[in-house]
Amino acid sequence: MGEAIVITSGKGGVGKTTSSANLGTALALQGKKVCLVDTDIGLRNLDVILGLENRIIYDLVDVIEGRCRIQQALVKDKRFEDRLFLLPAAQTTDKNAVTPEQMKDLITELKRDYDYILIDCPAGIEQGYKNAVADRAIVVTTPEISAVRDADRIIGLLEAEDIEPPKLIINRIRRNLINSGDTLDVNDITSHLSIDLLGIVLDDENVISSSNKGEPVVMDPNNPAALGYRNIARRILGESVPLMSVDTGKPGFFGKLKSLFSK
Amino acid sequence: MSKQQVVTIKGTKDGLILRLDDQCAYSDLLEELGKKAQDPGLEGAVEVQIHTGSRYCSDQAAKEIIQIVQSAGHLRVSKIQSDVITMEECNRRVQEQQSETYIGIVRSGQEVHAKGDLVVIGDVNPNGHVSAAGSIYILGRLKGKAHAGNAGNREAVIAASWLEATHLMIADQMETMTDELAILSEHPEMECAYLHTNGFIAIDRLQDLRLLRPGLSTFKGGS
């Protein structure tokens, strides 16, 4: 029996879809069987980030309305043998095409075959029902005051549901802004929201370029953002991984010396 | 059977007290009350209190009694006192006296209301809203909106470990904290907001509350 995890945020554009794709990939890299479910009906893009867009034949609404079986709609990511699948959202209809009960049945069925089901949610609060189908929830925010306020609202709604207390991912942390004190730091955000921090992800240009290529950045082991996602995946699996340090700080004495000679 | 007096008049240093018998019929009572009120022995304007004993007096009955007593012109009823109240009234009073405790964080978009005092153990985040008919005490950061004395109690206060609210309301007075916020965040000590005699909301150290609102104390005993 697998575990369903909903990935949500209040504000749009904080990186829910990118986080879903990368966490799914990272869990598959760890040898788990993962199914990603895109519930952003009408505005799907999880398939694009995974590079599976042109392999979609059926979608979530087709399954719900009985036009195909679940297995037919699931798109396999060939890079991970039999470990990573995507259930794409429909692009032709809208968010109201699926009822909470239908969603619950679908997730229950998927839980039989997969270790982890990651549910990528649309932004906003009106489809709160999708939260109720999961076992636990991950809230994604960025270190911006507007995103943190909206995360607070979502956490309030999640706490009213019958699921485990939500966990937090702080995405797109910019080292230089934190070091100069011009943005909220990790402690400010966690003490304001007072929920457990699942991990932080540093901002990196390669996240965008690799998403455009359809390869989640987490596949590159040397990327700092990838490291953040890999650490989060390991924490989801129950390992205790120390939080990586945001502060690269200024170069030390030897660093300065080195840079002097390397000029 | 000799007719017993159902209305007795008693003089005290605070004025006259009309003590009404609580066993006789209500109609007999009104009749005798009418006669007593017309008593020519009473002169000038006199304030009277009415004690109804164990007779429950509805609002309408109380009005009727006041009307009869004052009809003669020289008596004025200062108050009606009764030894009994309805269960409803009793429950309402108990609720107003009680303090309700909320443990957790009042997050953006959430509202917590209390009929009496409210104790919040946790933070009130921006856009969170707490309100109470009595006072509000917050063990944590108040960063949202708080409305104390929402039924009109001007004695109510708002106290918090960290008072960084965006809006403070006491009874019908509201204060947006735009200018104060910078000052308050420099003084993170425990603070309380109360309605100053000048009609505006003032903020002071929590330690001064015992001087500002001694009536809030319900503690009895100790030494």
Side-chain angles (χ1 to χ4, degrees):
Chain A
M1 194 72 178
E3 192 175 11
I5 303 174
V6 70
I7 295 171
T8 184
S9 77
K11 193 172 172 292
V14 296
K16 284 181 298 297
T17 304
T18 313
S19 297
S20 307
N22 281 292
L23 289 180
T25 310
L27 286 167
L29 284 169
Q30 294 272 339
K32 296 291 166 189
K33 232 184 145 199
V34 182
C35 181
L36 293 164
V37 181
D38 190 352
T39 62
D40 198 349
I41 300 169
L43 290 166
R44 73 177 178 204
N45 40 36
L46 186 54
D47 49 324
V48 186
I49 288 179
L50 289 164
L52 301 172
E53 189 179 18
N54 51 10
R55 307 221 346 253
I56 295 173
I57 298 163
Y58 294 110
D59 57 43
L60 178 68
V61 175
D62 290 328
V63 177
I64 296 274
E65 292 181 353
R67 285 194 287 269
C68 69
R69 285 177 290 113
I70 291 188
Q71 261 62 30
Q72 288 175 295
L74 289 170
V75 183
K76 183 163 85 174
D77 191 331
K78 287 179 180 160
R79 290 168 289 198
F80 299 97
E81 287 134 38
D82 269 340
R83 296 202 303 273
L84 186 63
F85 288 81
L86 169 71
L87 180 56
Q91 187 69 329
T92 46
T93 165
D94 66 32
K95 289 169 184 172
N96 304 317
V98 183
T99 67
E101 292 75 28
Q102 289 170 329
M103 197 67 197
K104 193 156 189 128
D105 292 345
L106 180 75
I107 299 298
T108 316
E109 204 169 329
L110 287 170
K111 277 208 270 192
R112 260 185 255 142
D113 297 332
Y114 294 90
D115 298 322
Y116 289 96
I117 295 121
L118 301 186
I119 305 163
D120 180 28
C121 278
I125 55 170
E126 61 279 342
Q127 41 281 320
Y129 67 83
K130 283 184 188 103
N131 304 330
V133 304
D135 302 304
R136 49 176 167 157
I138 295 175
V139 176
V140 183
T141 184
T142 59
E144 290 162 62
I145 193 118
S146 50
V148 173
R149 288 286 159 84
D150 290 357
D152 190 41
R153 177 89 173 99
I154 285 290
I155 294 165
L157 295 172
L158 285 169
E159 281 176 344
E161 302 281 354
D162 186 23
I163 57 174
E164 278 183 46
K167 299 252 166 81
L168 184 69
I169 292 179
I170 306 175
N171 198 7
R172 293 230 209 108
I173 292 181
R174 309 250 290 263
R175 277 191 173 132
N176 51 348
L177 283 184
I178 289 219
N179 288 343
S180 66
D182 289 332
T183 181
L184 297 170
D185 72 23
V186 174
N187 281 337
D188 290 340
I189 299 170
T190 45
S191 75
H192 180 91
L193 298 175
S194 37
I195 59 170
D196 288 345
L197 182 64
L198 191 59
I200 58 173
V201 180
L202 297 177
D203 194 31
D204 193 89
E205 288 171 353
N206 289 328
V207 175
I208 299 169
S209 58
S210 61
S211 291
N212 288 345
K213 276 184 255 164
E215 285 175 7
V217 72
V218 77
M219 290 164 79
D220 171 9
N222 299 316
N223 185 288
L227 184 65
Y229 282 122
R230 285 180 183 223
N231 284 347
I232 293 167
R234 285 164 68 190
R235 289 190 196 106
I236 291 175
L237 295 173
E239 276 182 62
S240 79
V241 187
L243 196 68
M244 67 173 157
S245 148
V246 180
D247 185 20
T248 50
K250 293 164 187 72
F253 176 69
F254 287 103
K256 274 186 194 159
L257 212 63
K258 209 174 143 192
S259 66
L260 208 67
F261 285 113
S262 64
K263 266 182 190 164
Chain B
M1 197 176 95
S2 71
K3 187 124 190 252
Q4 211 189 336
Q5 267 199 337
V6 293
V7 177
T8 45
I9 302 181
K10 199 168 169 244
T12 68
K13 61 178 190 287
D14 299 327
L16 286 181
I17 295 175
L18 291 185
R19 189 161 290 158
L20 311 186
D21 188 87
D22 51 23
Q23 298 302 318
C24 71
Y26 182 61
S27 51
D28 293 349
L29 187 68
L30 291 186
E31 194 183 327
E32 188 164 332
L33 206 53
K35 277 185 207 152
K36 283 269 161 66
Q38 305 294 342
D39 196 327
L42 295 164
E43 274 173 28
V46 184
E47 286 217 337
V48 291
Q49 292 181 21
I50 296 174
H51 288 193
T52 61
S54 308
R55 183 193 296 276
Y56 174 68
C57 216
S58 68
D59 285 347
Q60 206 201 331
K63 250 183 229 164
E64 208 170 4
I65 291 172
I66 292 172
Q67 201 202 336
I68 289 172
V69 173
Q70 293 186 344
S71 61
H74 49 257
L75 292 180
R76 217 179 61 77
V77 178
S78 59
K79 72 169 183 181
I80 292 190
Q81 192 183 323
S82 173
D83 295 342
V84 287
I85 54 172
T86 59
M87 291 296 287
E88 199 184 339
E89 170 80 8
C90 174
N91 287 340
R92 193 179 62 79
R93 286 193 195 176
V94 167
Q95 240 168 10
E96 278 172 12
Q97 290 293 315
Q98 267 174 349
S99 87
E100 289 176 67
T101 309
Y102 178 92
I103 299 189
I105 293 157
V106 184
R107 296 187 184 274
S108 172
Q110 295 181 328
E111 294 183 341
V112 173
H113 301 289
K115 294 199 177 83
D117 289 350
L118 175 63
V119 178
V120 177
I121 302 176
D123 296 346
V124 178
N125 277 353
N127 291 327
H129 188 170
V130 288
S131 77
S135 297
I136 298 173
Y137 309 99
I138 295 163
L139 292 171
R141 289 174 182 272
L142 171 57
K143 294 182 277 188
K145 285 192 262 183
H147 189 179
N150 61 16
N153 180 2
R154 298 176 72 83
E155 291 290 297
V157 299
I158 301 166
S161 315
W162 284 271
L163 194 72
E164 308 161 47
T166 54
H167 299 72
L168 287 178
M169 283 166 272
I170 295 175
D172 50 1
Q173 191 67 34
M174 170 161 149
E175 191 81 46
T176 55
M177 305 286 288
T178 341
D179 304 330
E180 293 88 340
L181 213 55
I183 307 164
L184 285 172
S185 52
E186 282 170 20
H187 300 275
E189 60 203 287
M190 299 186 285
E191 273 162 320
C192 65
Y194 61 98
L195 212 51
H196 196 269
T197 41
N198 65 12
F200 291 102
I201 292 175
I203 294 168
D204 230 318
R205 289 167 69 234
L206 190 57
Q207 284 81 351
D208 295 336
L209 191 59
R210 67 191 175 97
L211 306 172
L212 296 164
R213 291 285 183 272
L216 286 179
S217 176
T218 55
F219 186 78
K220 291 185 182 65
S223 59

